[in-house]
Amino acid sequence: MQLNQSGTSKNTMKKKLVVLMSAAAVFAATGAALPARPAFAETVPAAASPVAAEKPAAPRVDYIALSVHQKLSSIASDAATVADKAYDELMDAVRSGQSLAAASGLGSAELADKLGALYAQSFDGEVAAGYMTREEADEANRLAAAAVRETIDTSGAAVGPLVRTVGRDIVDKATADVVQNVAFLSDKSSIELRAALRQGQSLTEASGLDAATLSASLLESVAFELDRAVRYGQLAAQEAADLKAEAARSIDEALATKGYDPETNEWMARYGDAIIDKRLSNLTGIAAALADKSYADVEDALAQGGTLLSATGLSEAELLDRLAASVDVSIEQAWQSGTLSARAADALKAEAADRLKEAIATAGYGTRAQSGAKSDSAIAKESVDQLVRQAASYAGKTAAEVREALGAGQTLVQATGIDQAELYGVLQGNAGAYIEKAVASGRLAAVDADATKQEASERIGSAIAKPGYVGEADADAYLNRLRGTLVDQVADWAGTTREELLEKLAGGQSLAQAAGTDADTLLHALLRGVNRDWNEYAAEGRLTAQESAPIKANMAAELLALVTNG
């Protein structure tokens, strides 16, 4: 039996490759590596479909187009429902080569009419909830009607993703996971391999495996995933071929480069900052423990204008070294897991040292006595952006009812029928919660929170007493907020924490992968809120519907770039 230097046989390598490809298939099925596909496409591989054979033109991507595409994603299930036919029976007929119309037992015109009525009802619900205007719903109905007619009459048609990121996601993840996958194939720990890389070895040298065999094994796994995406209409054949060539170059370079270090990306920096922020959030407690002093005594000293240095009685070098050591451990663990590159880890350690040095010398650190506290006006404005919606909800009224009363010259207090002090307190609480979340996400310094809350409170007091109150509509400020809160929005939507999402992003996953979904679904969810906000702004009179339309289009383009490029 032929063995490589580490004692791993070629047969063992083959078995491990099977495990890697099986894991990739399972990963893809969950929607993490390959987007979860529509029900119709899921059962009808598109190997013979022209959709998989040639690269499609860039599609229209906005809330309306994505909403229509969502309907098409469930068209087989919907057809079974409107035709009163068992889904499995219908899909057996489709698999045998029948069109969806033929499989339903209805004529094309009848099936199209029934599906059109079903989707029109759904779009009407979108209008009622404020996610679409009446004009947008009418446009969605027209787009859906055309797409339905084409889809139901095509034999074996596959409904692929609108936003095609799957191929790029596969290659990027393979590149990000190269050390971990080599560790798996070579029976070594990834920590052991990373340590060897830090000492100047190449991945091939550190693994003890033959370079050609190792490269072929890794690329076979990538090819398996890309070919699967082509079969199901998620990727054009030529694009898959180009991506295989790109993956080969990237993986071979990673294997041969001495001291290989993954490319540092923005998410690594943001994840590293989150690590540092978390440690600094309890800096007073850590410093007190290191100095063997009570937290209350140190806090009292800071409140009187002292510094952490004076409050602990430790020298600058001793306190700084001991505090930095606790942060460095967390950063080193992130490097060992592959979440941070070595360069990113070193840069973050230096950043942490600088921030710690500044913090321990700051008078009144973390208390009201700390100098330089100021309001962040942008975040204060954001926190009171939805006053009409929030007030209406608390009063048990619709936003339209409150807007009508405001339009007649009433104040928010009059329009809601809520006591002024009570309404002020509720809205103030909402603003405070928003501001605290901005602190938790690192968008706002904790020392500035009180001043920002004070500004928000003043804005609320003025707004609820103003007859005919109308808020502001600032597209640039909204876009900045969208960028700043993107991670938190995605984390909330995915049911995870900001830190967990950042860790996955830093490790090489796309936003959709990190959220456990596909780009279409994630983008639709994000744009749903954007569309509702700008429709609401228009309804409140902050701007006209005509003015809001290009803004919504620009927001869609920005979010598409953020979701597909990070």
Short mmCIF file of all heavy atoms in Angstrom, two decimals, residues 164-189:
data_model
loop_
_atom_site.label_atom_id
_atom_site.label_comp_id
_atom_site.label_asym_id
_atom_site.label_seq_id
_atom_site.Cartn_x
_atom_site.Cartn_y
_atom_site.Cartn_z
N ARG A 164 -27.70 35.41 -8.68
CA ARG A 164 -26.87 34.21 -8.83
C ARG A 164 -25.51 34.39 -8.16
O ARG A 164 -24.54 34.80 -8.77
CB ARG A 164 -26.69 33.88 -10.32
CG ARG A 164 -27.98 33.42 -10.99
CD ARG A 164 -27.83 33.20 -12.47
NE ARG A 164 -29.06 32.65 -13.02
CZ ARG A 164 -29.25 31.36 -13.30
NH1 ARG A 164 -28.28 30.49 -13.11
NH2 ARG A 164 -30.40 30.95 -13.79
N THR A 165 -25.46 34.05 -6.89
CA THR A 165 -24.20 34.13 -6.14
C THR A 165 -23.63 32.76 -5.81
O THR A 165 -22.56 32.66 -5.23
CB THR A 165 -24.41 34.89 -4.82
OG1 THR A 165 -25.32 34.14 -3.99
CG2 THR A 165 -24.97 36.27 -5.05
N VAL A 166 -24.36 31.70 -6.17
CA VAL A 166 -24.00 30.37 -5.69
C VAL A 166 -22.60 29.95 -6.10
O VAL A 166 -21.84 29.42 -5.29
CB VAL A 166 -25.05 29.33 -6.14
CG1 VAL A 166 -25.18 29.27 -7.65
CG2 VAL A 166 -24.71 27.96 -5.59
N GLY A 167 -22.23 30.19 -7.37
CA GLY A 167 -20.90 29.77 -7.82
C GLY A 167 -19.79 30.49 -7.08
O GLY A 167 -18.82 29.88 -6.62
N ARG A 168 -19.94 31.82 -6.95
CA ARG A 168 -18.95 32.61 -6.22
C ARG A 168 -18.87 32.17 -4.78
O ARG A 168 -17.78 32.07 -4.20
CB ARG A 168 -19.35 34.09 -6.33
CG ARG A 168 -18.60 35.06 -5.44
CD ARG A 168 -17.10 34.99 -5.61
NE ARG A 168 -16.72 35.04 -7.00
CZ ARG A 168 -15.55 34.59 -7.45
NH1 ARG A 168 -14.67 34.08 -6.62
NH2 ARG A 168 -15.25 34.66 -8.74
N ASP A 169 -20.01 31.88 -4.16
CA ASP A 169 -20.03 31.44 -2.77
C ASP A 169 -19.27 30.12 -2.59
O ASP A 169 -18.54 29.93 -1.62
CB ASP A 169 -21.47 31.27 -2.27
CG ASP A 169 -22.18 32.59 -2.10
OD1 ASP A 169 -21.50 33.64 -2.12
OD2 ASP A 169 -23.42 32.59 -1.94
N ILE A 170 -19.45 29.21 -3.54
CA ILE A 170 -18.77 27.90 -3.46
C ILE A 170 -17.25 28.08 -3.51
O ILE A 170 -16.51 27.51 -2.69
CB ILE A 170 -19.24 26.98 -4.61
CG1 ILE A 170 -20.69 26.53 -4.37
CG2 ILE A 170 -18.32 25.76 -4.74
CD1 ILE A 170 -21.31 25.82 -5.55
N VAL A 171 -16.78 28.88 -4.46
CA VAL A 171 -15.33 29.06 -4.61
C VAL A 171 -14.75 29.83 -3.43
O VAL A 171 -13.69 29.47 -2.89
CB VAL A 171 -15.02 29.80 -5.94
CG1 VAL A 171 -13.54 30.14 -6.02
CG2 VAL A 171 -15.42 28.92 -7.12
N ASP A 172 -15.45 30.86 -3.00
CA ASP A 172 -14.94 31.65 -1.87
C ASP A 172 -14.87 30.81 -0.61
O ASP A 172 -13.91 30.91 0.17
CB ASP A 172 -15.84 32.86 -1.62
CG ASP A 172 -15.66 33.95 -2.67
OD1 ASP A 172 -14.72 33.84 -3.47
OD2 ASP A 172 -16.48 34.89 -2.69
N LYS A 173 -15.86 29.95 -0.40
CA LYS A 173 -15.86 29.13 0.81
C LYS A 173 -14.75 28.07 0.73
O LYS A 173 -14.09 27.77 1.72
CB LYS A 173 -17.20 28.44 1.02
CG LYS A 173 -17.28 27.74 2.38
CD LYS A 173 -18.66 27.29 2.71
CE LYS A 173 -18.73 26.85 4.17
NZ LYS A 173 -17.65 25.92 4.56
N ALA A 174 -14.55 27.50 -0.45
CA ALA A 174 -13.47 26.52 -0.61
C ALA A 174 -12.12 27.14 -0.32
O ALA A 174 -11.25 26.52 0.31
CB ALA A 174 -13.50 25.95 -2.03
N THR A 175 -11.93 28.38 -0.77
CA THR A 175 -10.67 29.08 -0.51
C THR A 175 -10.53 29.40 0.98
O THR A 175 -9.46 29.22 1.57
CB THR A 175 -10.61 30.39 -1.33
OG1 THR A 175 -10.77 30.08 -2.71
CG2 THR A 175 -9.29 31.09 -1.12
N ALA A 176 -11.62 29.85 1.59
CA ALA A 176 -11.57 30.19 3.01
C ALA A 176 -11.32 28.96 3.88
O ALA A 176 -10.68 29.05 4.94
CB ALA A 176 -12.88 30.87 3.43
N ASP A 177 -11.81 27.81 3.44
CA ASP A 177 -11.72 26.58 4.24
C ASP A 177 -10.53 25.71 3.86
O ASP A 177 -10.44 24.56 4.31
CB ASP A 177 -12.99 25.74 4.08
CG ASP A 177 -14.19 26.37 4.77
OD1 ASP A 177 -13.99 27.32 5.54
OD2 ASP A 177 -15.32 25.89 4.53
N VAL A 178 -9.60 26.23 3.04
CA VAL A 178 -8.55 25.37 2.52
C VAL A 178 -7.69 24.76 3.63
O VAL A 178 -7.32 23.58 3.57
CB VAL A 178 -7.68 26.14 1.48
CG1 VAL A 178 -6.91 27.28 2.13
CG2 VAL A 178 -6.75 25.19 0.75
N VAL A 179 -7.36 25.53 4.66
CA VAL A 179 -6.53 24.98 5.74
C VAL A 179 -7.29 23.90 6.49
O VAL A 179 -6.76 22.82 6.78
CB VAL A 179 -6.09 26.11 6.71
CG1 VAL A 179 -5.32 25.52 7.89
CG2 VAL A 179 -5.23 27.13 5.98
N GLN A 180 -8.55 24.16 6.79
CA GLN A 180 -9.37 23.19 7.51
C GLN A 180 -9.53 21.91 6.70
O GLN A 180 -9.45 20.79 7.25
CB GLN A 180 -10.74 23.81 7.79
CG GLN A 180 -11.72 22.90 8.52
CD GLN A 180 -13.05 23.60 8.75
OE1 GLN A 180 -13.10 24.80 8.97
NE2 GLN A 180 -14.12 22.84 8.68
N ASN A 181 -9.74 22.03 5.38
CA ASN A 181 -9.92 20.85 4.54
C ASN A 181 -8.62 20.06 4.39
O ASN A 181 -8.63 18.82 4.36
CB ASN A 181 -10.47 21.25 3.17
CG ASN A 181 -11.92 21.72 3.25
OD1 ASN A 181 -12.64 21.38 4.19
ND2 ASN A 181 -12.35 22.50 2.28
N VAL A 182 -7.50 20.77 4.28
CA VAL A 182 -6.21 20.07 4.22
C VAL A 182 -5.95 19.34 5.54
O VAL A 182 -5.45 18.21 5.55
CB VAL A 182 -5.07 21.07 3.91
CG1 VAL A 182 -3.71 20.40 4.11
CG2 VAL A 182 -5.20 21.59 2.49
N ALA A 183 -6.31 19.96 6.64
CA ALA A 183 -6.15 19.32 7.95
C ALA A 183 -6.95 18.03 8.00
O ALA A 183 -6.47 16.99 8.49
CB ALA A 183 -6.59 20.27 9.06
N PHE A 184 -8.16 18.07 7.49
CA PHE A 184 -9.03 16.89 7.49
C PHE A 184 -8.42 15.78 6.64
O PHE A 184 -8.39 14.61 7.04
CB PHE A 184 -10.41 17.28 6.97
CG PHE A 184 -11.38 16.13 6.89
CD1 PHE A 184 -11.95 15.61 8.04
CD2 PHE A 184 -11.71 15.58 5.66
CE1 PHE A 184 -12.84 14.56 7.97
CE2 PHE A 184 -12.61 14.52 5.59
CZ PHE A 184 -13.18 14.01 6.74
N LEU A 185 -7.93 16.15 5.45
CA LEU A 185 -7.37 15.15 4.55
C LEU A 185 -6.05 14.57 5.03
O LEU A 185 -5.69 13.45 4.69
CB LEU A 185 -7.17 15.76 3.16
CG LEU A 185 -8.46 16.11 2.39
CD1 LEU A 185 -8.12 16.94 1.16
CD2 LEU A 185 -9.22 14.85 1.99
N SER A 186 -5.31 15.33 5.85
CA SER A 186 -3.98 14.89 6.27
C SER A 186 -3.93 14.36 7.70
O SER A 186 -2.85 14.06 8.21
CB SER A 186 -2.99 16.06 6.14
OG SER A 186 -3.37 17.13 7.01
N ASP A 187 -5.10 14.25 8.33
CA ASP A 187 -5.16 13.76 9.72
C ASP A 187 -4.33 14.64 10.67
O ASP A 187 -3.72 14.13 11.62
CB ASP A 187 -4.67 12.31 9.82
CG ASP A 187 -5.72 11.33 9.33
OD1 ASP A 187 -6.92 11.60 9.54
OD2 ASP A 187 -5.34 10.31 8.73
N LYS A 188 -4.32 15.94 10.42
CA LYS A 188 -3.66 16.88 11.32
C LYS A 188 -4.69 17.90 11.81
O LYS A 188 -5.75 18.07 11.19
CB LYS A 188 -2.52 17.60 10.59
CG LYS A 188 -1.35 16.71 10.18
CD LYS A 188 -0.29 17.52 9.46
CE LYS A 188 0.87 16.64 9.00
NZ LYS A 188 1.69 16.19 10.14
N SER A 189 -4.38 18.55 12.90
CA SER A 189 -5.30 19.58 13.38
C SER A 189 -5.06 20.86 12.60
O SER A 189 -3.92 21.13 12.16
CB SER A 189 -5.11 19.83 14.87
OG SER A 189 -3.91 20.53 15.10
#
